[in-house]
């Protein structure tokens, strides 16, 4: 009976994580569509504002008080949030205005790997052989797409400006993910995420105030109902819903197993882009396949080795 309950809980966790990665993957083509009517900074302001309101309501509903922290802890939490949440969204949606949604999702698929490598660098230890293998294979897949299969563009470092912006956003998010492991020891994740949304909103609003070409209020009053739906989807489902689903899945399956589901983000991004009528090339699909293979193969080999070890141990007994 207990085994059946555990299996059912694991199945539910898998479904939650698949739904989460669908929301995150869909944000790329949905955001690309919304950028046809609003500036990237206006989109990010909408995302942060919607997410902050939803998280505040959720925290009140769950009776979650804001933690009592020292001034140094508040400064650290806000600083890390500005780098990660603000940097990611600024790079991601500014970049999406100049590149394909599938390219953006493919670059973001490097995030778990980049987080691992940042950890190795900051801890001053060499990455594992499996991490190096994944890095080489995944970068090959991403570079194949970003250079359109042209070696001369790689040798000349000729990359689309949008791809460069998203890559920088991905690095900000990876650094944020690594640093969050320390922050989570003394600050609950829901209040921490709310602080992240408010910090991001503050930074982007400040950038917007000094940008003459961005007019959030006028743009918001002129948007169509379709794009309003895009913004609500990104804020509610792509941000708050995705985050809460991710937490639930990680609690059940663990961070290592849950991170594998991140590989579905570029797949769902490509499928959603196709549904939106956006172009998805065979080269982009090949790049997605290479990246997923680079991330999964070391895990599969490790599982097989562990399984073989357990079989040998059982035979010895």
């Amino acid at each position: 009976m207990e085994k059946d309950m555990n299996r059912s809980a694991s199945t539910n966790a898998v479904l939650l994580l698949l739904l989460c990665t669908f929301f995150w993957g869909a944000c790329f083509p949905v955001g690309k569509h919304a950028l046809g009517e609003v500036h990237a900074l206006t989109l990010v302001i909408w995302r942060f504002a919607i997410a902050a309101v939803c998280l505040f309501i959720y925290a009140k509903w769950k009776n979650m008080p804001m933690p009592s922290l020292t001034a140094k802890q508040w400064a650290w939490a806000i600083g890390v949030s500005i780098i990660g949440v603000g940097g990611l969204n600024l790079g991601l949606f500014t970049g999406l205005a100049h590149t394909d949604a599938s390219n953006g999702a493919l670059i973001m698929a490097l995030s778990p790997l980049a987080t691992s490598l940042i950890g190795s660098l900051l801890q001053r230890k060499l990455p594992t052989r499996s991490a190096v293998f994944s890095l080489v294979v995944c970068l090959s897949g991403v570079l194949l797409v970003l250079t359109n299969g042209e070696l001369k563009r790689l040798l000349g470092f000729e990359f689309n400006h949008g791809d460069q912006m998203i890559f920088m956003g991905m690095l900000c998010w990876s650094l944020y993910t690594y640093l969050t492991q320390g922050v989570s020891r003394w600050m609950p994740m829901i209040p921490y995420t709310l602080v992240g949304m408010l910090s991001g909103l503050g930074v982007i609003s400040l950038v917007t105030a000094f940008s003459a070409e961005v007019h959030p209020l006028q743009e918001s009053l002129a948007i169509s109902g379709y794009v309003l739906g895009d913004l609500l989807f990104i804020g509610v489902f792509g941000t708050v819903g995705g985050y809460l689903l991710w937490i639930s899945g990680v609690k059940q399956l663990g961070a290592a197993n849950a991170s594998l589901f991140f590989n579905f983000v570029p797949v769902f991004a490509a499928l959603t882009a196709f549904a939106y009528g956006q172009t998805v090339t065979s080269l982009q699909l090949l790049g997605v396949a290479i990246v997923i293979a680079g991330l999964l193969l070391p895990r599969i080999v490790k599982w097989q080795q562990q399984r073989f070890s357990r079989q040998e141990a059982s035979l010895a007994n």
Side-chain angles (χ1 to χ4, degrees), residues 180-309:
T180 290
Q181 297 175 48
V183 177
S184 63
R185 295 182 191 136
W186 41 263
M187 189 172 191
M189 292 309 294
I190 296 297
Y192 177 50
T193 305
L194 176 57
V195 168
M197 294 299 109
L198 293 174
S199 301
L201 180 60
V203 170
I204 300 301
S205 297
L206 188 63
V207 172
T208 302
F210 289 96
S211 179
E213 61 183 31
V214 188
H215 307 283
L217 183 59
Q218 293 91 322
E219 290 176 23
S220 299
L221 292 173
I223 60 174
S224 64
Y226 199 6
V227 169
L228 178 61
D230 290 341
L231 298 176
L232 290 172
F233 176 87
I234 291 170
V236 176
F237 297 102
T239 307
V240 180
Y243 178 77
L244 295 178
L245 289 170
W246 184 258
I247 290 177
S248 299
V250 168
K251 282 182 178 178
Q252 181 61 35
L253 298 182
N257 290 328
S259 67
L260 296 177
F261 285 83
F262 206 89
N263 303 329
F264 287 100
V265 170
V267 177
F268 286 128
L271 292 174
T272 310
F274 184 76
Y276 260 80
Q278 298 172 15
T279 303
V280 180
T281 67
S282 56
L283 192 64
Q284 287 171 333
L285 293 176
L286 176 61
V288 168
I290 292 173
V291 169
I292 291 176
L295 291 168
L296 284 182
L297 282 175
R299 304 276 183 144
I300 293 172
V301 171
K302 185 178 179 180
W303 287 339
Q304 290 294 331
Q305 289 174 342
Q306 290 174 343
R307 183 181 174 186
F308 183 71
S309 297

